[in-house]
Amino acid sequence: MAMYPNVQETKELIKELVSIPSPTGFTSKVIQFAEEYLTKLQVETKRNRKGGLIATIPGANTNEHRMLTAHVDTLGAMVKEVKSNGRLKLDLIGGFRYNSIEGEYCEIHTSNGKVYTGTILMRQTSVHVYKDAGKAERNQENMEVRIDAEVTNAEEIRALGIEVGDFVSFDPRVEITDNGFIKSRHLDDKASVAILLQLIKRLKEENVQLPYTTHFLISNNEEIGYGGNSNITPETVEYLAVDMGAMGDGQSTDEYTVSICVKDASGPYHYGLRKRLVELAENNSIEYKLDIYPYYGSDASAAIKSGHDIVHGLIGPGIDSSHAFERTHEKSLINTEKLVYHYVLSDMISY
Ligand SMILES: [Zn+2]
């Protein structure tokens, strides 16, 4: 039997996931990847109409269900305008700032399936030409995509098949260091997707009987707010989102522990479930941090907001510099993997 958590395997899986472009609205390839991964494990899956993926493992109790989610959609952009100067204007998908993509390599995905590469730059990048290159605001007006093609005007761009509405993905620049770090764009939330896929793999390998029928939703619209707010069975009592822990000044979350979110912009998470998660961590030597994420919502809060009567929770690996040049450490992945494992085997809370 394979060792669990096999963090080397988890890191490799994260690397594969972040390398598949999947800005919100353009997730079918990465969903297909998850589908194939689960099909190989002989786990039954189905897709919802929004393009998310649901895997269900029947449990001893089929009257009360659990749901766990992680999202595969990421930040990205769309072509807003084919400019007369031979460049592209962008419109951002998800919540981040233009300065976090300055200088980034990108891919433009045309509607007929072609992919062009490019670089996201300030119009006024060249210090040999622009005196105020450093001062100009990083915004939609001033930033553009330089396409790696010989184009000087809008007609030439259109001749390539590039048009308004084409998705633009950012180079993840994924790197695994030999001292346990993984740095990449889109660790939010592909690190957690890898953790859930690994969990399902372990459950299948160990042939574990789960106490409750458990659904795993790989959601694909989290970054734009509505996330995993549908396809929740009426039997679902507990709903746990696995999503990144937010780090910064005053935050207790770090790259080495599992972050248990007590409150975010949507309000407090379910008190009873939060206390159960802490208890599971303490009983199983799992290092954790409690934290509040000030500007944050999750698949679980989206589900609550859409009217589902569920007990909701949020945990995840600590991710540094989220929505920009992200990084985490394998210790955080291991602690999160352990907590989700003990969680799916635990009794439900009485609410
Ligand atoms: Zn996220």
Side-chain angles (χ1 to χ4, degrees), residues 260 274-284 288 339:
I260 300 174
R274 179 248 279 200
K275 287 201 284 193
R276 169 58 54 82
L277 292 163
V278 167
E279 188 185 304
L280 288 168
E282 284 181 352
N283 292 344
N284 295 287
Y288 70 96
L339 187 52

Side-chain angles (χ1 to χ4, degrees), residues 238-257:
E238 291 185 0
Y239 183 117
L240 183 69
V242 187
D243 205 341
M244 52 147 283
M247 291 170 52
D249 290 336
Q251 295 296 102
S252 56
T253 299
D254 58 36
E255 294 163 280
Y256 311 104
T257 56

Side-chain angles (χ1 to χ4, degrees), residues 169-203:
S169 60
F170 311 140
D171 187 342
R173 290 194 287 157
V174 55
E175 232 176 86
I176 297 171
T177 70
D178 53 17
N179 59 353
F181 288 102
I182 176 161
K183 48 183 184 174
S184 176
R185 285 186 187 275
H186 315 318
L187 292 177
D188 171 17
D189 186 29
K190 288 178 169 174
S192 307
V193 173
I195 286 168
L196 288 191
L197 292 177
Q198 288 276 82
L199 169 66
I200 297 170
K201 187 176 173 210
R202 183 191 190 185
L203 296 172

